[in-house]
Amino acid sequence: MFQDVNSLLIRALYIGDQIDVRQLEKVKACARNPLTLMVEQEAAYVTIFRYGVVVMFNVKPQDEAALMREIMLHTKRPLDKPVVEESELTITTTPSDTVADNIISVFAPTVEKLQIIADVMAKSVILEFYELEESRNLERISPLAEFLHSQGRTGAKTQELLKQIGKVLLNQQIMVGRVEVGEKPDLLWDFPELERFYLRLSDEFEIRERDKALERKMEIISRTSQTVLDIITAKRSLRVEWYIVILIVFEILLTLYEMFFTH
């Protein structure tokens, strides 16, 4: 593996909502769960995750372009522009695996080690996408809280708030249900000796810390949207109650008029 190569580039690309890996499994694979393919004999590899991330090891630009065209055919709701994160992998003669300053040093690389690296980098790049997504959502929701504080009213449309809440819930479902950012890869059940390496990678890319920070952002956005929506709903309910009271008063006045002025 990686003969005559001392250093190589790793590229993680978040390309869309979901990749149908079943269609790609028809190609001869080095390993599955996650699906890992050899691009050129003993020279380049690609690991594909169903939640929309592709991680490439030592893949040449022309090969990457051809691969992406094929993978995009099986990608649901592809992004206009993929989110890309890069790192460097060095092959070391020292019998230990280390991670520092975005450089991953590996002794005796194996497909399983590549899958562990791919798992962490896939989580990192998808976290980057949703960090930007929720930062933008937070910017949109902040004026609501400020307007409510300064004016004492919402100034917001219910439909927009419902869309905002739905978007946050969808993002939470993707992060927890599909990506499982906080979970260790299943591969560690079969290769427990790689757990320390996985933990080093997770710490270097701050996977847990970023996941918790993202959860807090989602919670703030959801809570703010829900609070403003509750206020709008309460105001509408109060308005309906006043309409009912006015109708009852009008009915009483009409009855009194008929009793005293029509006989």
Side-chain angles (χ1 to χ4, degrees):
M1 178 178 284
F2 303 128
Q3 293 178 356
D4 302 322
V5 176
N6 296 322
S7 178
L8 57 96
L9 179 66
I10 312 170
R11 281 169 54 83
L13 302 93
Y14 178 46
I15 62 173
D17 276 0
Q18 200 169 357
I19 300 172
D20 187 357
V21 295
R22 293 172 299 178
Q23 297 298 321
L24 297 166
E25 282 177 346
K26 296 174 182 178
V27 181
K28 187 177 180 180
C30 301
R32 289 176 170 79
N33 195 28
L35 178 65
T36 302
L37 311 174
M38 185 185 295
V39 180
E40 291 182 354
Q41 188 174 2
E42 299 296 330
Y45 295 83
V46 56
T47 301
I48 304 167
F49 296 85
R50 60 185 176 84
Y51 50 78
V53 178
V54 180
V55 182
M56 301 196 177
F57 297 86
N58 202 36
V59 178
K60 296 175 183 177
Q62 61 269 26
D63 293 328
E64 179 178 318
L67 276 167
M68 291 307 299
R69 283 194 295 270
E70 175 65 24
I71 294 170
M72 281 295 186
L73 295 175
H74 309 291
T75 302
K76 295 180 180 178
R77 292 177 291 278
L79 300 179
D80 294 332
K81 184 179 180 181
V83 181
V84 182
E85 191 168 314
E86 296 184 347
S87 188
E88 182 183 350
L89 176 65
T90 62
I91 313 302
T92 178
T93 55
T94 305
S96 62
D97 302 322
T98 60
V99 187
D101 300 325
N102 206 36
I103 298 175
I104 304 166
S105 299
V106 172
F107 175 74
T110 61
V111 170
E112 292 74 32
K113 286 183 180 179
L114 295 189
Q115 288 179 300
I116 291 295
I117 295 169
D119 180 271
V120 173
M121 288 198 64
K123 289 173 180 175
S124 182
V125 74
I126 205 167
L127 276 168
E128 181 180 346
F129 173 80
Y130 283 105
E131 283 164 351
L132 293 171
E133 179 87 358
E134 296 310 321
S135 292
R136 287 192 290 265
N137 288 337
L138 198 57
E139 288 176 4
R140 294 190 195 104
I141 212 76
S142 292
L144 288 176
E146 293 173 6
F147 193 84
L148 183 62
H149 172 71
S150 61
Q151 303 295 326
R153 53 195 177 89
T154 60
K157 296 180 180 179
T158 307
Q159 189 175 7
E160 292 176 0
L161 287 172
L162 288 173
K163 286 182 179 179
Q164 187 71 53
I165 293 171
K167 181 64 175 175
V168 173
L169 291 174
L170 179 60
N171 289 348
Q172 288 174 328
Q173 186 270 330
I174 290 171
M175 295 301 293
V176 176
R178 292 188 199 168
V179 185
E180 299 177 336
V181 173
E183 302 295 326
K184 294 180 182 179
D186 293 339
L187 186 68
L188 293 180
W189 288 101
D190 297 322
F191 299 91
E193 68 275 10
L194 294 177
E195 183 164 359
R196 290 181 63 185
F197 180 50
Y198 169 77
L199 292 174
R200 288 195 201 103
L201 284 167
S202 294
D203 289 342
E204 176 67 21
F205 287 89
E206 299 179 332
I207 299 299
R208 289 186 180 181
E209 294 82 355
R210 292 164 64 191
D211 187 33
K212 288 180 180 178
L214 184 59
E215 283 181 1
R216 287 195 294 270
K217 280 185 181 180
M218 288 180 173
E219 185 180 351
I220 289 170
I221 294 167
S222 180
R223 191 188 308 156
T224 304
S225 301
Q226 186 63 56
T227 299
V228 175
L229 184 60
D230 289 344
I231 292 171
I232 292 174
T233 304
K235 283 187 174 181
R236 287 185 175 179
S237 297
L238 182 61
R239 193 180 299 126
V240 171
E241 290 174 3
W242 273 110
Y243 289 157
I244 293 171
V245 170
I246 291 170
L247 286 173
I248 292 172
V249 170
F250 179 76
E251 184 69 25
I252 292 171
L253 290 174
L254 185 60
T255 302
L256 290 173
Y257 176 81
E258 291 177 351
M259 289 175 61
F260 292 101
F261 296 101
T262 59
H263 295 286

